[in-house]
Amino acid sequence: MAFHPAPRRRRTARRLLTTSAGIVTGLLVSGLLAAPAPAQSRTDASAGPDEPIGTVARTVGDARFEPGPCPKTPEPIEVLDEARCGTLTVPENRAEPSGRTIELGVAIVPAATDEPKPDPIVWLAGGPGDDAVGEAKMAIDGGLNRDRDVIFMSQRGTYSAEPNLLCPNIDEFNARSVGLVYDAPSTERLHVEATKACRDRLAGRGIDLSAYNDTESAADYEDLRKALGIEKWNLFGISYGTHLALAYMRLHPEGLRSVGIDGILPPSKSGSAATWSSARQGFDGLFKACADQPACNERYPNLSATFDRLVRELEAKPVTTTVTLPGSDKPVKVVLDGGALVNWMTSATHVAPQVPAALDELADGKPQRIAQQWAGGKLSPQAIGRIAHGLAYGVFCSEWTPYESEQAALRGGRATFPSFPRSVQAQAPQLTFLHPDCDAWNVPAASPSIRDVTRGDLPTLALSGGFDSQTGADNGPYVASTLGKAKVVTVPYEPHVVFATSKCAQEITVSFFDDPAAPKTACLKDLKPPEFELGP
């Protein structure tokens, strides 16, 4: 599933799944880094008590950390100016330790205090396919480095890793696809052709595509912990990063003090059916908030029924329109059918106050607002050449599709949206044509254990948004049911990844890492629903 730039209130994180049909609903925040803060590098030694983390070169097993320049990013990120940086080198495939190695960029943003706590926080990015280094501004703007260093490492295959598994041709197809019928057979053919072209190009470079998955990535982070000489650290994962965090907790719990997960995607239930369930929860949360406000309910009665009707009508008779996008006077052809509307809505919960008016305009024969938002994310310059689709398919095609049939995916659509046409139900939001794509990607299935529920007593903060239509809020209680020290917090009226949009969520998160047994949640009682835009 992918979430990239689309309508939103403020810069959010992102995304969740990144298939070639993925909607663009979150920008990669990135930047060209400055050199690391001056530090003397020593070799193969543990950092002393006064030695900042990341200033010592060290080899542990098959992994080596070397201090050095900060990872590359598409645009400058000011918070990296004082970062301590370097590179972690690890085997590409740990089943072949004498084979090829890969390099992962590391940036460590110092704590704001002069006396940081000894257990830093590690940021796990969304996607799959986003580069954690590019999300540094979001993390630091949220106060995550108040008392602790925050560590960002480019997950294998992502933008600043070597090799990276970017697929610009897929991004370019996504941009062109706004003028195609979303779920037509002809669109599927072009979609899969783009996926296969990327796969062939990466494999032609000698990349072992089967090695880009949660198991290898979790081992990368554990190697980083040991190579940095850290006894215990904390994880904070957003969106797909929660998927990786839950896998890490199961595979390498010994080095963890606590874990925060925001926009939760459990590996044990990931797939198309769960995506449909999440969409239902987020949509219903927004529709209910409108119905609870007399002015919104009077102006837009039965909003849920209006949405369902529009999906059916557009799937039967798509609407074609032309829009111009900010910063360009070039007209863009946009086709809106039922599938496109569902996917627009999945990301539009980030701009919830606009949704009732936008749907009303569409029902009144004015599709321009929705068309502009739908096209805007996919045609944004930030949507091209930044996402590691190779990592995304590595996860989806080894860990998801082998354990969920196309029939099960269809049943998920039917169960949650029984009124939708079958053609819409067959393509889960954010995961269009996933099985044909994975047939083209052609990597082996992961061990069934990758789908195991994460159990244990690690202190865990399970954060969700009441409007999250990408990873539904019911995933919080679900993961907490097998984690003895989990705290479940749902922030009302917020979309996917509440840390990106809610000051209250940021306060709760920082307080959790301060005292995992007692996060401060008093701010929740003061939250109010959005004021919905009321059209004429």
Side-chain angles (χ1 to χ4, degrees):
M1 305 160 157
F3 306 160
H4 267 225
R8 17 174 230 236
R9 283 170 287 182
R10 28 182 306 201
R11 176 169 272 173
T12 80
R14 276 40 270 36
R15 5 167 350 133
L16 166 57
L17 311 166
T18 328
T19 70
S20 58
I23 334 179
V24 196
T25 36
L27 293 175
L28 277 178
V29 267
S30 318
L32 204 110
L33 44 308
Q40 203 126 15
S41 173
R42 298 188 291 123
T43 302
D44 291 329
S46 296
D50 299 322
E51 197 86 46
I53 295 168
T55 58
V56 175
R58 193 161 185 247
T59 299
V60 179
D62 294 319
R64 180 169 181 81
F65 175 78
E66 284 277 1
C70 286
K72 64 179 181 180
T73 53
E75 296 94 24
I77 299 179
E78 188 175 347
V79 298
L80 295 180
D81 287 351
E82 301 302 320
R84 303 184 297 273
C85 297
T87 302
L88 182 74
T89 302
V90 295
E92 182 178 47
N93 188 332
R94 288 176 172 81
E96 301 176 9
S98 61
R100 173 182 180 140
T101 61
I102 61 176
E103 295 181 355
L104 309 177
V106 178
I108 304 167
V109 176
T113 178
D114 292 334
E115 297 183 2
K117 301 287 175 41
D119 47 310
I121 297 170
V122 182
W123 179 275
L124 302 180
D130 294 343
D131 192 327
V133 181
E135 295 179 349
K137 183 179 188 302
M138 184 199 315
I140 304 309
D141 283 354
L144 214 56
N145 71 325
R146 187 187 69 183
D147 300 311
R148 291 174 168 80
D149 292 352
V150 182
I151 300 174
F152 304 89
M153 182 169 77
S154 49
Q155 190 179 348
R156 55 174 50 211
T158 58
Y159 184 89
S160 61
E162 178 56 46
N164 67 53
L165 274 62
L166 309 181
C167 298
N169 73 298
I170 288 179
D171 301 323
E172 290 159 1
F173 171 77
N174 283 340
R176 294 194 306 272
S177 71
V178 300
L180 304 176
V181 174
Y182 185 79
D183 50 15
S186 56
T187 304
E188 176 181 350
R189 177 178 55 79
L190 295 170
H191 188 293
V192 176
E193 283 178 1
T195 300
K196 187 175 186 305
C198 179
R199 193 241 187 246
D200 291 348
R201 180 177 60 81
L202 295 177
R205 289 166 50 194
I207 294 169
D208 182 354
L209 297 176
S210 70
Y212 293 80
N213 54 53
D214 282 336
T215 301
E216 292 284 2
S217 290
D220 294 341
Y221 280 95
E222 184 64 1
D223 280 347
L224 178 66
R225 182 183 69 83
K226 293 174 180 176
L228 293 177
I230 298 169
E231 182 180 355
K232 295 277 187 181
W233 65 11
N234 308 274
L235 302 181
F236 187 66
I238 61 166
S239 192
Y240 157 73
T242 69
H243 193 280
L244 178 56
L246 289 161
Y248 189 131
M249 292 167 70
R250 187 173 58 79
L251 296 168
H252 306 286
E254 59 276 7
L256 297 177
R257 170 183 175 262
S258 69
V259 178
I261 47 179
D262 176 5
I264 303 164
L265 182 66
S268 51
K269 61 185 284 194
S270 297
S272 297
T275 305
W276 276 119
S277 173
S278 293
R280 175 93 271 177
Q281 293 173 63
F283 298 175
D284 286 351
L286 191 157
F287 295 149
K288 182 178 185 303
C290 175
D292 287 345
Q293 292 183 22
C296 188
N297 188 52
E298 181 179 353
R299 178 64 186 80
Y300 309 113
N302 301 315
L303 196 58
S304 178
T306 298
F307 174 70
D308 283 9
R309 175 175 59 79
L310 286 169
V311 170
R312 295 193 303 273
E313 290 177 354
L314 288 174
E315 190 67 4
K317 188 176 180 181
V319 167
T320 300
T321 189
T322 301
V323 299
T324 55
L325 302 178
S328 173
D329 56 5
K330 182 180 178 181
V332 175
K333 174 189 171 185
V334 179
V335 176
L336 292 177
D337 62 0
L341 184 63
V342 170
N343 279 268
W344 166 81
M345 182 68 185
T346 304
S347 59
T349 50
H350 287 270
V351 285
Q354 295 186 40
V355 167
L359 290 173
D360 185 68
E361 289 169 4
L362 181 61
D364 198 33
K366 294 177 284 190
Q368 283 72 27
R369 185 194 318 224
I370 289 177
Q372 187 177 58
Q373 291 178 349
W374 174 236
K378 292 189 174 188
L379 274 73
S380 164
Q382 287 83 3
I384 307 295
R386 302 192 183 190
I387 304 307
H389 295 272
L391 173 60
Y393 284 127
V395 173
F396 299 152
C397 303
S398 69
E399 302 177 20
W400 293 22
T401 57
Y403 302 105
E404 183 184 59
S405 68
E406 288 187 90
Q407 292 72 29
L410 175 60
R411 287 196 297 272
R414 286 174 171 166
T416 49
F417 291 95
S419 69
F420 284 1
R422 186 187 187 284
S423 55
V424 175
Q425 295 167 340
Q427 306 296 342
Q430 316 159 79
L431 294 175
T432 313
F433 311 128
L434 184 60
H435 275 268
D437 275 336
C438 284
D439 289 343
W441 203 254
N442 190 27
V443 291
S447 164
S449 64
I450 197 66
R451 307 283 294 187
D452 287 353
V453 170
T454 302
R455 302 179 184 277
D457 288 318
L458 275 170
T460 304
L461 175 65
L463 277 170
S464 299
F467 287 175
D468 189 346
S469 54
Q470 295 167 283
T471 55
D474 68 347
N475 287 331
Y478 172 81
V479 298
S481 67
T482 55
L483 297 171
K485 294 181 180 177
K487 308 289 184 183
V488 177
V489 176
T490 298
V491 183
Y493 319 120
E494 291 292 337
H496 184 58
V497 182
V498 295
F499 187 88
T501 56
S502 167
K503 188 68 176 173
C504 179
Q506 294 168 0
E507 292 171 2
I508 292 168
T509 302
V510 173
S511 72
F512 167 78
F513 288 119
D514 184 49
D515 182 1
K520 298 177 181 177
T521 60
C523 59
L524 292 170
K525 70 178 185 301
D526 297 324
L527 299 180
K528 293 180 170 42
E531 292 187 17
F532 290 99
E533 176 185 330
L534 300 178

